[in-house]
Amino acid sequence: MATKQKRFILPEDEIPKYWYNIQADMVNKPMPLLNPKTKQPLTAEDLFPIFSKEASRQELNMTDAWIEIPEEVRELYKYYRSTPLVRAYGLEKALGTPAHIYFKNESVSPIGSHKINSALPQVYYCKQEGVTNVTTETGAGQWGAALSYAAKVFGIEAAVYQVKVSYEQKPYRKSIMQTFGAQVTPSPSMSTRAGKDIITRDPNNQGSLGTAISEAVELALTTPNCKYTLGSVLSHVSLHQTVIGLEAEKQMDMQESIQILLLAVSEVDQTLVV
Ligand SMILES: Cc1ncc(COP(=O)(O)O)c(C=O)c1O
């Protein structure tokens, strides 16, 4: 029986050396973020109290299309990258489509999702800048686990606020974070002013990502040498995730089929990154 190749993997030396910063190539740039105090366009310096300096600069970088992946981060990427590009023959058959469907399987990372692609550089930059503590929020626990892993690898303390209802419903995710040495606190908590205010008004509050973000940002701003990190939404996070698409481009070149549809799938939390 003729067998069909299902997975396409790049050799280690083909793992991208640069991330792609799409902001540099946008003809119509995004509207500037405004400093809530001054209402003036935000500068990287405005973000320095919250994020690492390098993440702050990347956030607002509208000029450099290619940003070098630090060697130390690339070496850590190599433990799980390239992630496989997989031909979804079963899905094609189930759909009865002539299209060739592929997915990029990011679930092979040490913590089971793509979120580690940004946790590693964010914590690396903190370490480079002499930061000793990082903090963040998590919902399901994927991002918290990624940050905890990265913090362990770079020898930094991590404090994670986990939405209370998830903290109670997903004990295994909490255990993973704790195994990597992170301090995990159900949010809202009494450890911050934001948390205290909410619990005082509503003692049975089950938490939300917004509340957990408020607690983590407050901790970063009130703890010496502590920075906040974020696992989605922001431009520098998207920048780090371009490693997925850049690999996929090369993997598509490894075979001659027509390329129709590409999905990056993180199986554990079922996040889709198109
Ligand atoms: C800003 C922000 N923080 C935290 C999370 C929660 O991440 P997780 O479900 O991996 O814990 C998300 C979801 O992607 C998010 O957008």
Side-chain angles (χ1 to χ4, degrees):
M1 183 179 98
T3 58
K4 299 179 201 159
Q5 186 168 349
K6 295 170 185 65
R7 296 191 316 145
F8 299 87
I9 311 250
L10 296 173
E12 274 183 15
D13 61 357
E14 290 278 326
I15 294 168
K17 295 188 171 65
Y18 293 84
W19 294 298
Y20 173 53
N21 176 21
I22 196 171
Q23 298 189 123
D25 286 343
M26 283 177 161
V27 178
N28 300 313
K29 304 287 185 207
M31 296 286 281
L33 300 169
L34 299 183
N35 180 320
K37 264 193 198 151
T38 63
K39 309 285 186 235
Q40 295 303 306
L42 203 67
T43 64
E45 287 73 17
D46 291 333
L47 295 174
F48 286 177
I50 301 178
F51 300 104
S52 72
K53 293 188 173 70
E54 184 54 27
S56 304
R57 288 189 204 103
Q58 290 179 356
E59 186 61 28
L60 300 174
N61 187 330
M62 301 288 157
T63 50
D64 305 312
W66 295 98
I67 294 180
E68 192 166 6
I69 303 175
E71 184 61 30
E72 289 87 337
V73 172
R74 219 168 149 260
E75 286 302 306
L76 290 164
Y77 277 174
K78 285 180 186 171
Y79 283 109
Y80 64 100
R81 310 209 70 84
S82 68
T83 58
L85 180 77
V86 187
R87 175 95 182 256
Y89 286 107
L91 181 59
E92 289 173 15
K93 195 171 163 197
L95 295 174
T97 175
H100 295 188
I101 301 175
Y102 297 84
F103 62 92
K104 188 88 162 104
N105 186 1
E106 291 292 306
S107 77
V108 299
S109 84
I111 45 83
S113 84
H114 65 285
K115 298 218 168 168
I116 195 166
N117 298 335
S118 186
L120 287 169
Q122 287 192 55
V123 178
Y124 167 78
Y125 294 131
C126 286
K127 180 76 179 181
Q128 287 295 101
E129 294 169 19
V131 170
T132 54
N133 294 63
V134 287
T135 182
T136 197
E137 76 289 342
T138 201
Q142 296 287 347
W143 169 243
L147 187 77
S148 305
Y149 173 89
K152 185 73 188 167
V153 166
F154 287 111
I156 280 186
E157 298 292 322
V160 180
Y161 287 93
Q162 183 167 24
V163 177
K164 193 172 179 184
V165 65
S166 290
Y167 180 93
E168 282 159 8
Q169 285 177 350
K170 295 174 188 273
Y172 302 121
R173 278 278 142 196
K174 174 179 57 190
S175 299
I176 290 172
M177 293 184 265
Q178 288 169 339
T179 301
F180 291 129
Q183 182 193 321
V184 188
T185 306
S187 168
S189 76
M190 293 301 276
S191 69
T192 62
R193 203 202 65 196
K196 255 185 226 159
D197 286 352
I198 290 169
I199 293 171
T200 307
R201 265 185 277 122
D202 175 11
N204 291 322
N205 190 292
Q206 293 301 296
S208 68
L209 271 181
T211 299
I213 290 172
S214 300
E215 292 207 87
V217 171
E218 186 180 325
L219 184 75
L221 290 174
T222 53
T223 308
N225 238 353
C226 180
K227 295 293 172 197
Y228 171 68
T229 58
L230 194 75
S232 64
V233 179
L234 295 175
S235 298
H236 67 273
V237 182
S238 308
L239 170 75
H240 303 152
Q241 297 298 353
T242 61
V243 69
I244 303 173
L246 294 167
E247 278 182 5
E249 257 184 336
K250 289 189 186 182
Q251 287 164 308
M252 285 288 192
D253 288 342
M254 289 171 77
Q255 37 75 53
E256 291 169 7
S257 311
I258 306 160
Q259 296 119 36
I260 308 291
L261 178 63
L262 172 67
L263 299 176
V265 177
S266 166
E267 280 183 358
V268 181
D269 70 348
Q270 301 185 347
T271 302
L272 292 183
V273 184
V274 177

